[in-house]
Structures are given as structure tokens and as C-alpha cells.
Amino acid sequence: MNEPAVLTVLIAMLGGAIRVSTPFMFVSLGECLTEKSGRVNLGLEGTLVLGAMVAYAASYHTGNPWIGVLAAGVAGSVLGAMHGSICGLPRVNDVAVGIAMMLFGVGVAFFFGKPYIQPQAPRLGSIPLGFWSDSASLKSALQVNPLFFIGIALALAIAWALRNTRWGLVVRTVGDSAASARAIGISVNFVRLMTTTIGGFLAGVGGAFLSLSYPGSWNQGLSSGQGLMAVALVIFSRWDPLRCIAAALLFGAAGAIGPSLQSIGITQGYYFFNAAPYILTLGIMIATSSAKHSARDMPGELSIAK
Amino acid sequence: VSNAPLATDAPRNIVSPFAAPATGSDFAARLRVNSEYIVIPLFALLIAAALFALFLLAIGKSPVDFVAYVWRGGFGTAFSLQNSLQRSAPLILTALAVAVPARIGLIMIGGEGALVLGGFAAAALAIPLVSGHAPVTLTLILMAVSSMIVGGLWVGVSGLLRYARGVNETISSLLLTYIGIAIMNFFVEGSLRDVSNPNKPSTMPIGEAYMVGKIPGTQVHWGFAYGVILCVALYVLMTRTTFGFAARVTGGNLRAALAQGLPVGRLIVACSAIAGACAGLAGFFEVTAIQGRANASLAAGYGFTGILVSFLARHNPLVIPPVAILLGGLVASGGLIQRRMDLPDATVLVLQGLIFVVLLTSETLYGRFAVFRPTGGRDRT
């Protein structure tokens, strides 16, 4: 196959966008839910790394990568529950606790993850959606992991539930005005504990994707800021799970620029293109924030964007 | 927005404005109130140590051995103590990079990025100066200044974005850290790579003649001394000057500061830039006193440990050096622990994370104990 270089890059970026976006998707969905209830969990970077490690270890020991995914979710929800219960105490700052949880999660992951850097664990299989095409590069780009579709289904479900169920109303009320929620007898701390725990579960699953699908191995440099970028991405998606998916795909494409260019032999500025997602995140944050008024559709109790 | 200790005192005074002068001298009352800020963090350290001991027992290691190795590796001998002091130098400077913005109500965690870029700027500037045989002192001064300017710009941008665009400074400063590391890698693996060094991509070594020396009579480099001096200077700046007062007012109550006509934007950017300059200076010393060149070793995590140091010191510059020495000792003993106890090098990270989490949890204890009230608890409401 001799495709023009531009097409090769575009196809590689499409495949990259699907692959790279999945962890962004899960972390940002989790964070979106947590922030909807009025709390910020900056520790999801740590959750992501710990999830990746636990998933790899569980998959290695049981031989079933889906048990790994589940184990990563459980590990993530433990970290989420820790964050949620600590922040439920009076006078505790959720942003600062998030930083601490980030360092703690990464520390624990590196501690227990050391023996798993060498061995090969069974990885998650992919669905070959490129069967109709003759192009090898398109075929490899359309090797899509089931978690990608699970993430989209989850986003639809969360978006629907937030809008249409009693449970969703409770979460939104807690996030918009804790005082009103208390007045009608809702336990604000309990709701936030739940949303942070579920958010942690999702972030853990996102980590499982990193170690079990793409890049598909466990090492200490596996995640460098994806968890944090996902948090920024929630602000950009204006606390809407569906927009989180779109934003995650955009970020995935940005993250895939470097490797895609490398695939046609452009290695110049590899490190610059590696920095592209961070620069994009920062640019988006600058463009969507405002000094004068708080962000559109922001939950009223949120401390992160003023 | 802020978790600076300033704001937390306010409600108590509103509840009972006349209670304070009731008993005891002014000094005794202040001592009573301030001892809370010492007792509670120490209590948190104790709890974190206990939890970590349980963790070690659970994985079948001896906590007693651990303490013994931390003591031997960090403090027990003259050599290990000097090693700890040496390692505390970047921690002091990166902790200042958190403490100064904290006074104005910002949680800046961009110290790592400013350190890396500051160190890189120094090493890059050294290439033409060293090959041109410029005078040593002048070269070092220029390198230090460029480190501080680059670091200051890097964190100053976060402050500016916060003020001008309302961008969350915690996220932006951490993003800038990743960008900073990528910029250094870009040059170190590209145009500024020392091709004669096949092992690790690095810039040209600055050469033995241009290295910063040790403090006479010790094995500790000058970065430690400058760090301590900066702590005192910044303490004076933040507590004894109009600038510091205005910054603390802004941190305590942004609206009040705006109503008073304080130049809030300039104060925020200035505090952020000072913070970045401190971290940049840490990078300068890492390059000129330890590494001798800029490479990926600069991003060794000092910026992140510095966050913990600053929080443990309650963002008080005068408390930062002892806390930094404590954590420097912990970091320094990491290698010994790894070898003798067969624990991964991340053990120190786990302990640090645990201390950080417990410390922040202990924030909830402030104001709950009558012992620390100036009037012995009679005004409890």
C-alpha cells in the first residue's frame, strides 16, 4: 500500500485518537460525576497510575484481563473513597487533598508495581472493525478496544441519569447548593463520598486501559499527566458527560500527533509533539476561562474555577 | 479559594471579640494559640508514622529496622547528615515556591517545572560562556540570574493566567511542569545534546572549574546556605513589609483587597514569580553543584517533595529549613533502605504520600481543642 503521507498521518491519528482517548474518557467521566456533586478530585492522576498497576498485576496472576479491569476499578474506588471521606471533614481543602492523593497513589503504584515491570500479562483483546478495508494501516487503526464502547455507553447512561433520575437530581442539587440539599434532608457528604468513589472506580478502569491495551505494558512512566488533563477536560466540556467524550477524542488526536508523524519518519520535534496535549489543555483552559464570571454550567459549589 | 492559616482565625474573633484580653499576658496567649500549629502537625506525623509501621508489618518488614536505617542513612553519621543537608537544599527552595503563593491564597505546584527549566537555562547559558572562558564568578552570577528569570516567568505565567483569565493555578502550574520537562528534553536530545556523551542525553558539562563549591568545612554545597538566607528574607518580606501585608490581605479576603484598591493582579503575579525564581534557583544549584550538566535527572521529584515540605511547615518560610532537612534525610536514606531491607525505591514515596494525606486530614482538628484557646476555652461556642 502506498498511500500519500498525509493520509497515513490522518489514519494514524484516527487510530491514535480512538486508542489514546479511552483513558481520558474514563477519567473525565469519573471526574465529571464527582464535580457535578460539587467536589474536585485532583488525585485522579494517582488513581490512574494505581489502576494501571493493579490491572496489570491482576491480569498477570489470574490470566484474565477483565478481572484486571475490575480490580483496577476497585483500587480506584478505594482511593476515591479515601478522598471522599477525608474531604467530608470540616475545614479540609479538596484541592490540596487531591495533590496528596496523587502523590500517594503514584507512590503505592510504584511500590507494588516493581515486580511487574518485566513479566508479560495477558492484554485486553480488540474488536477488528477495519475488516471491510484493504488498507493495512486502516485495519490497524480500527482495532478498537471494547472499553472504548463501554466508555461511550457509560457517558450516555450518566448523562441520562443525571438529567432524568431522582439520583441525578440529588447529585445536581448537592453540587449546585449544599445548603438547599441539606434543607431537604440530603446528606451532602454521603452523596459526595459516593460520587467520588464511583469517579475513582472509573479512573481506575481508565488506568487499566493504559496497562492492558494501549500502550499495553506497565512501567513507571506510563501516565504523565493524563489524569490531570482529564480534570481540565471536564471544565472544557462544561460538566457534560457527552461533551467529555468529544473532548477526549480531541485530546486523543492531539496525543497521537507525535507518534503519527513518527510513523512516516518525521522524528524532528518529537518532544515538542509529545507536549502537544499539555499545550492544548492549557490553551483550552485559557480560552474557556474568564476572570469576570464563573464558567458556564458550572456546579455552584465547585471550588476549582472560582 | 485559600487554605492559608490566616483566614481560619477570623471566625473565632467574630464570635467573641472581647474574650481575648481576659486572662494572662499577651505573649502567653499567643504562645497558647501558636502551639496548636506545632502540636497538630507533629501529631499528624506521629499518626502517619504509625500507619506506615502497620504497612511495613503487613508486608512483613520491620518498622524498627526502617527507623534505624532512616537514622543511619539520613542523620546518624557526619557523612549522612551532610548528605541530608545537601538534599534539603532543593527542597527548601521548591518549598518556598509553594509557600509564597500560599500566602496569597494560591496552591501552586509548578516547582518541579521551574526547577527543570531553571537548571536547563543555566546549563544552556553556560555553553557559550564556558567555551569563551568567561570569568567564573560572572558566569555563575549570569547563570543564577537566568535560572531565576526563567523559573520566575514559568510560574509567573500561572499567576498571570489566574488573575487575568481565572485559570485554575494548580492545574495550570502542573501542566506547565510537564511542558517544561518536554522543552528540556527537546533541546537535550536535540540541538544542545553533547554528542561525545553516548550514555544519557545531556547538555555539555559546565566543567569542574565552573562548579559551585562546598560551604567551607563541610560537604554541603552553597545552595543550602542560600536557601536558608532566602527563607529568612522571604519571611521578612511576607510578614514585615507592606508588600507582604498586602499579599496576605489578598489571600485572606480577595474582595476586601479589591475594595481597598490593592494592586491584586500585580501582587499575585509577583508572588508567583518569586516562587518560580526560588525553584529556578534550585535548578541552578542542581546543575552547578551536583549534576554539572542538564539532563533528565533534574526532574527527580524535588518539586513534588517540596509541596509536602511547605504544607508541613504550614507555609511558614522560617519553618521550612528544619522540615526540609527532615524530608531530605528521608530521601537520602532511600538508597540504604532499598539495599538493606529489600524494599523498592518507591518506599519513600509511599511514606511521603501517607504523611501528606494524614497532614491534610489533621486540618480538621484546628480550633477543636480548648487547650489552645487564649482564654482557656471559656468562649467556646
Side-chain angles (χ1 to χ4, degrees), chain A residues 218-305:
Chain A
W218 157 250
N219 62 66
Q220 300 198 343
L222 190 57
S223 165
S224 44
Q226 278 104 318
L228 182 86
M229 282 187 274
V231 174
L233 197 142
V234 176
I235 303 173
F236 169 55
S237 354
R238 301 210 306 266
W239 296 273
D240 180 336
L242 298 180
R243 282 198 215 107
C244 281
I245 301 291
L249 280 169
L250 178 70
F251 273 61
I257 294 177
S260 310
L261 287 178
Q262 220 180 15
S263 70
I264 56 162
I266 299 181
T267 51
Q268 196 77 50
Y270 179 71
Y271 282 93
F272 174 75
F273 287 111
N274 266 0
Y278 309 112
I279 296 169
L280 180 73
T281 313
L282 195 61
I284 280 174
M285 282 185 73
I286 295 168
T288 52
S289 306
S290 163
K292 298 284 186 294
H293 47 85
S294 57
R296 261 173 73 195
D297 305 328
M298 187 182 81
E301 293 281 323
L302 218 53
S303 62
I304 196 149

Side-chain angles (χ1 to χ4, degrees), chain B residues 118 121 142-156 273 276-277 280-281:
Chain B
L142 285 177
M143 283 164 74
V145 168
S146 69
S147 298
M148 290 173 77
I149 290 175
V150 169
L153 279 175
W154 208 242
V155 182
L281 195 63

Side-chain angles (χ1 to χ4, degrees), chain B:
Chain B
V1 196
S2 140
N3 71 333
L6 258 182
T8 59
D9 288 341
R12 209 178 304 155
N13 297 337
I14 294 164
V15 171
S16 55
F18 307 110
T23 51
S25 70
D26 186 39
F27 178 74
R30 269 171 56 192
L31 192 68
R32 207 178 252 272
V33 172
N34 286 330
S35 59
E36 185 174 25
Y37 297 122
I38 300 167
V39 173
I40 291 183
L42 284 180
F43 176 70
L45 270 180
L46 210 65
I47 296 287
L51 287 175
F52 188 71
L54 288 178
F55 171 76
L56 286 179
L57 284 175
I59 58 168
K61 304 280 176 183
S62 157
V64 179
D65 283 359
F66 185 83
V67 173
Y69 285 127
V70 168
W71 177 254
R72 258 182 61 193
F75 308 99
T77 64
F79 172 79
S80 60
L81 185 64
Q82 298 197 9
N83 188 13
S84 300
L85 291 178
Q86 182 127 304
R87 283 181 192 252
S88 71
L91 294 181
I92 292 174
L93 290 165
T94 51
L96 280 174
V98 179
V100 173
R103 290 280 140 184
I104 202 162
L106 303 179
I107 307 181
M108 285 281 183
I109 53 176
E112 182 89 355
L115 184 155
V116 166
L117 273 189
F120 169 68
L125 187 70
I127 296 170
L129 288 175
V130 168
S131 63
H133 300 289
V136 173
T137 317
L138 179 72
T139 306
L140 284 176
I141 289 174
L142 285 177
M143 283 164 74
V145 168
S146 69
S147 298
M148 290 173 77
I149 290 175
V150 169
L153 279 175
W154 208 242
V155 182
V157 164
S158 283
L160 181 67
L161 289 177
R162 169 69 201 213
Y163 174 71
R165 294 291 304 169
V167 175
N168 179 276
E169 78 283 356
T170 313
I171 297 179
S172 73
S173 58
L174 194 50
L175 282 174
L176 282 167
T177 292
Y178 291 119
I179 297 174
I181 294 172
I183 291 177
M184 182 196 67
N185 283 336
F186 176 70
F187 284 109
V188 166
E189 309 225 354
S191 52
L192 292 182
R193 179 169 183 174
D194 171 17
V195 277
S196 62
N197 182 353
N199 301 320
K200 191 169 187 176
S202 306
T203 58
M204 293 286 286
I206 61 173
E208 204 56 46
Y210 288 87
M211 296 284 278
V212 166
K214 314 280 184 195
I215 301 171
T218 69
Q219 288 299 310
V220 184
H221 68 72
W222 278 103
F224 179 77
Y226 283 101
V228 173
I229 293 168
L230 259 178
C231 281
V232 176
L234 287 176
Y235 176 81
V236 171
L237 178 74
M238 297 313 281
T239 58
R240 297 282 185 272
T241 65
T242 339
F243 173 85
F245 181 69
R248 285 182 296 141
V249 169
T250 310
N253 189 331
L254 184 66
R255 279 192 194 168
L258 286 168
Q260 284 293 322
L262 292 177
V264 170
R266 254 181 281 167
L267 287 168
I268 287 179
V269 174
C271 283
S272 310
I274 292 171
C278 291
L281 195 63
F284 164 78
F285 281 112
E286 279 304 291
V287 165
T288 55
I290 308 278
Q291 310 276 359
R293 53 177 72 82
N295 57 34
S297 308
L298 279 178
Y302 284 123
F304 296 115
T305 307
I307 304 170
L308 173 59
V309 171
S310 182
F311 272 85
L312 264 174
R314 293 195 65 79
H315 310 309
N316 183 338
L318 287 188
V319 188
I320 283 177
V323 177
I325 293 170
L326 188 72
L327 280 169
L330 190 66
V331 174
S333 59
L336 188 69
I337 290 163
Q338 195 184 341
R339 284 195 305 275
R340 296 290 171 81
M341 290 184 74
D342 193 27
L343 284 168
D345 48 354
T347 314
V348 173
L349 283 182
V350 174
L351 180 55
Q352 284 181 17
L354 202 58
I355 292 173
F356 207 165
V357 172
V358 175
L359 178 78
L360 292 171
T361 311
S362 76
E363 290 280 323
T364 194
L365 296 176
Y366 288 92
R368 291 209 184 173
F369 300 105
V371 178
F372 301 120
R373 299 288 170 82
T375 52
R378 274 186 293 144
D379 60 330
R380 197 184 178 96
T381 45

Side-chain angles (χ1 to χ4, degrees), chain A residues 176-196:
Chain A
D176 276 329
S177 167
S180 320
R182 271 189 210 101
I184 54 172
I186 299 170
S187 166
V188 171
N189 274 334
F190 179 74
V191 173
R192 289 184 178 163
L193 175 62
M194 284 298 118
T195 56
T196 317

